[in-house]
Coordinates of all heavy atoms in Angstrom, one line a residue:
G1 N 105.1 100.8 94.4 CA 104.4 101.2 95.6 C 105.1 100.6 96.9 O 105.1 99.4 96.9
L2 N 105.5 101.4 97.8 CA 106.0 100.9 99.1 C 104.9 100.8 100.2 O 104.0 101.7 100.2 CB 107.1 101.8 99.7 CG 108.3 101.9 98.7 CD1 109.3 103.0 99.2 CD2 109.1 100.6 98.4
E3 N 104.9 99.8 101.0 CA 103.9 99.8 102.0 C 104.6 99.1 103.3 O 105.4 98.2 103.2 CB 102.6 99.1 101.7 CG 102.8 97.6 101.3 CD 101.4 97.0 100.9 OE1 101.1 97.2 99.7 OE2 100.9 96.3 101.7
S4 N 104.1 99.6 104.4 CA 104.6 99.0 105.7 C 103.5 98.0 106.1 O 102.4 98.3 106.3 CB 104.7 100.1 106.8 OG 105.7 101.0 106.4
I5 N 104.0 96.8 106.5 CA 103.1 95.7 107.0 C 103.9 95.2 108.2 O 104.9 94.6 108.1 CB 103.0 94.6 105.9 CG1 102.4 95.2 104.7 CG2 102.0 93.5 106.5 CD1 102.4 94.2 103.4
N6 N 103.2 95.4 109.3 CA 103.7 94.9 110.6 C 105.2 95.2 110.9 O 106.0 94.4 111.3 CB 103.5 93.4 110.8 CG 102.0 93.0 110.7 OD1 101.3 93.7 111.3 ND2 101.8 91.9 110.1
G7 N 105.5 96.5 110.6 CA 106.8 97.0 110.8 C 107.9 96.6 109.6 O 108.9 96.9 109.6
N8 N 107.4 95.8 108.7 CA 108.3 95.6 107.4 C 107.9 96.3 106.2 O 106.6 96.5 106.0 CB 108.2 94.0 107.2 CG 108.7 93.2 108.3 OD1 109.8 93.5 108.8 ND2 108.0 92.2 108.7
V9 N 108.8 96.8 105.5 CA 108.4 97.6 104.3 C 108.5 96.6 103.1 O 109.5 95.9 103.0 CB 109.5 98.7 104.0 CG1 109.1 99.5 102.7 CG2 109.3 99.6 105.3
R10 N 107.4 96.6 102.5 CA 107.3 95.6 101.2 C 107.0 96.6 100.0 O 106.8 97.7 100.2 CB 106.2 94.6 101.4 CG 106.3 93.7 102.6 CD 107.3 92.7 102.4 NE 107.4 91.9 101.1 CZ 106.8 90.8 100.9 NH1 106.0 90.3 101.7 NH2 106.8 90.2 99.7
F11 N 107.0 96.0 98.8 CA 106.7 96.7 97.7 C 105.8 96.0 96.7 O 105.9 94.8 96.7 CB 108.0 97.2 97.0 CG 109.0 96.2 96.5 CD1 108.8 95.8 95.2 CD2 109.9 95.7 97.3 CE1 109.7 94.8 94.8 CE2 110.9 94.7 97.0 CZ 110.6 94.3 95.6
N12 N 105.1 96.7 95.9 CA 104.3 96.3 94.8 C 104.8 96.9 93.6 O 105.3 97.9 93.6 CB 102.9 96.6 95.0 CG 102.4 96.1 96.3 OD1 102.4 95.0 96.7 ND2 101.8 97.0 97.2
I13 N 104.7 96.2 92.4 CA 105.3 96.6 91.1 C 104.0 96.6 90.1 O 103.3 95.6 90.0 CB 106.4 95.8 90.5 CG1 107.6 95.9 91.6 CG2 106.8 96.2 89.2 CD1 108.7 95.1 91.2
N14 N 103.9 97.7 89.4 CA 103.0 97.8 88.3 C 103.8 97.5 86.9 O 104.4 98.4 86.4 CB 102.2 99.1 88.1 CG 101.3 99.2 87.1 OD1 101.4 98.6 86.0 ND2 100.3 100.0 87.2
L15 N 103.9 96.3 86.5 CA 104.7 95.9 85.5 C 104.3 96.5 84.1 O 105.0 96.9 83.2 CB 104.7 94.4 85.3 CG 105.7 93.8 84.3 CD1 107.2 94.2 84.7 CD2 105.6 92.2 84.3
A16 N 102.9 96.6 84.0 CA 102.3 97.3 82.7 C 102.9 98.6 82.6 O 103.3 99.1 81.6 CB 100.9 97.2 82.7
A17 N 102.9 99.5 83.7 CA 103.3 100.8 83.7 C 104.8 101.0 83.4 O 105.3 101.8 82.7 CB 103.0 101.5 85.1
T18 N 105.6 100.0 84.0 CA 107.0 100.0 83.8 C 107.4 99.8 82.3 O 108.2 100.4 81.7 CB 107.9 99.1 84.7 OG1 107.3 97.8 84.6 CG2 107.8 99.5 86.2
T19 N 106.6 98.7 81.7 CA 106.8 98.5 80.4 C 106.5 99.6 79.4 O 107.2 99.9 78.5 CB 105.9 97.2 80.0 OG1 106.4 96.1 80.8 CG2 106.1 96.8 78.5
L20 N 105.4 100.3 79.8 CA 104.9 101.5 79.0 C 105.9 102.6 79.0 O 106.2 103.3 78.0 CB 103.6 102.0 79.6 CG 103.0 103.2 78.9 CD1 102.7 102.9 77.4 CD2 101.7 103.7 79.7
S21 N 106.7 102.6 80.1 CA 107.8 103.6 80.3 C 109.2 103.1 79.7 O 110.2 103.9 79.9 CB 107.9 104.1 81.7 OG 106.8 104.7 82.1
D22 N 109.2 102.0 79.1 CA 110.4 101.4 78.5 C 111.4 101.1 79.6 O 112.6 101.2 79.4 CB 110.9 102.3 77.4 CG 111.8 101.5 76.5 OD1 111.7 100.2 76.4 OD2 112.6 102.0 75.8
L23 N 111.0 100.8 80.8 CA 111.8 100.4 81.9 C 111.8 98.9 82.1 O 110.8 98.3 82.0 CB 111.6 101.0 83.2 CG 111.4 102.6 83.2 CD1 110.8 103.1 84.5 CD2 112.9 103.1 83.0
K24 N 112.9 98.2 82.2 CA 113.0 96.8 82.3 C 113.3 96.5 83.8 O 114.3 96.8 84.4 CB 114.1 96.2 81.4 CG 114.2 96.6 80.0 CD 113.4 95.7 79.1 CE 113.5 96.1 77.7 NZ 112.8 97.3 77.2
V25 N 112.4 95.6 84.4 CA 112.4 95.2 85.8 C 113.0 93.8 85.8 O 112.6 92.9 85.1 CB 111.0 95.2 86.4 CG1 111.1 94.8 87.8 CG2 110.4 96.6 86.2
S26 N 114.0 93.6 86.6 CA 114.7 92.4 86.6 C 113.7 91.3 87.2 O 112.9 91.7 88.0 CB 116.0 92.4 87.4 OG 115.7 92.2 88.8

């Protein structure tokens, strides 16, 4: 999930969902 905070774009990761989809996050 991307979000804008004070003009900066940051991101959140759902590690459980990526694991369920067999995607490996560095």
Side-chain angles (χ1 to χ4, degrees):
L2 302 173
E3 62 181 76
S4 296
I5 303 170
N6 299 325
N8 295 314
V9 179
R10 300 288 314 269
F11 61 92
N12 304 306
I13 298 176
N14 183 329
L15 190 58
T18 58
T19 302
L20 181 63
S21 294
D22 203 20
L23 301 172
K24 309 269 186 286
V25 181
S26 83

